[in-house]
Amino acid sequence: MSTTPPVLAAELAQAWADIQRHHPELPDLAAPESLIGESSSACGAELSFERLLHEAVHGIAAARGVRDTSRAGRYHNRRFLAIAEELGLDHSDEPHPSSGFSLVTLNGEAKRRYRPTIERLQRALKAHTAATTADTKRTFRGPAARHGSSGGGVRVKAVCDCGRNVRVVPSVLAQAPIVCGGCMKPFRIPEVAVAAAAS
């Protein structure tokens, strides 16, 4: 199995499609690569199928026009919780003071339903982690790897030919193209943004 980010992105896209089979109103995942190396304290720290299902809750909320968070997206409210339950996620009885009901876990039924998907994604994540953390004196992975960062950093606007845009850390975009789901062309960072990020 290849361990390059595009292969992991393909596995993420496949896992998302598996969720869509059970929840057809879930919109397409525009840029699975944006999840690689990212972490979110509100969603649980590491990338996993559980975290992907958490993101799917936000996708369905957006499709329904439901405001499922507040406090700049940190606090996950009871509307988030209701959709999370539909997707097979359990939660604590009481909300966390700062993140609400963000910390959700797969229930038994969801684990059974998605077992092949979970196993496939875990293999891809394990291979990706092994490939990106293997240290030799002849490799250089940039400041994020040197400082133990999860890929965070200053996000800039990347655009595609159809006018859509995403916010992305330039180093994440440099790993592999992020392709627009609307026009199937890669997002690119305008030269002005690159210069500003470098200064």
Side-chain angles (χ1 to χ4, degrees):
M1 174 188 295
S2 172
T3 56
T4 59
V7 172
L8 179 54
E11 291 293 346
L12 287 165
Q14 181 59 53
W16 192 266
D18 292 347
I19 299 169
Q20 284 178 310
R21 275 196 285 285
H22 296 281
H23 304 279
E25 69 184 304
L26 177 63
D28 290 340
L29 183 60
E33 294 90 342
S34 66
L35 295 172
I36 300 171
E38 291 290 318
S39 78
S40 167
S41 59
C43 304
E46 64 185 37
L47 184 54
S48 64
F49 182 77
E50 199 166 75
R51 170 144 173 249
L52 198 63
L53 205 56
H54 175 122
E55 296 300 333
V57 173
H58 292 303
I60 288 176
R64 292 178 182 175
V66 171
R67 186 170 179 211
D68 62 340
T69 63
S70 58
R71 300 181 196 165
R74 289 186 308 276
Y75 190 88
H76 293 57
N77 60 35
R78 290 192 183 275
R79 291 181 290 274
F80 170 86
L81 185 58
I83 299 170
E85 288 172 349
E86 289 178 40
L87 269 68
L89 292 166
D90 283 337
H91 55 86
S92 60
D93 291 334
E94 295 299 319
H96 185 275
S98 62
S99 62
F101 294 102
S102 67
L103 298 177
V104 288
T105 57
L106 286 168
N107 67 26
E109 181 184 338
K111 285 178 185 174
R112 285 186 296 277
R113 175 186 305 147
Y114 294 112
R115 174 175 281 150
T117 304
I118 293 167
E119 290 172 354
R120 192 178 63 239
L121 186 58
Q122 282 176 335
R123 283 192 301 272
L125 286 165
K126 185 176 179 182
H128 177 74
T129 299
T132 57
T133 57
D135 244 343
T136 71
K137 292 180 181 178
R138 298 188 49 86
T139 60
F140 177 74
R141 292 186 312 278
R146 284 197 316 272
H147 301 297
S149 168
S150 61
V154 178
R155 288 175 174 77
V156 297
K157 183 164 73 171
V159 298
C160 71
D161 289 346
C162 71
R164 296 178 73 206
N165 64 71
V166 294
R167 290 263 178 205
V168 63
V169 178
S171 63
V172 171
L173 191 59
Q175 291 175 12
I178 297 175
V179 179
C180 173
C183 70
M184 302 311 291
K185 297 209 174 150
F187 284 95
R188 57 186 165 62
I189 300 172
E191 295 299 320
V192 176
V194 172
S199 60

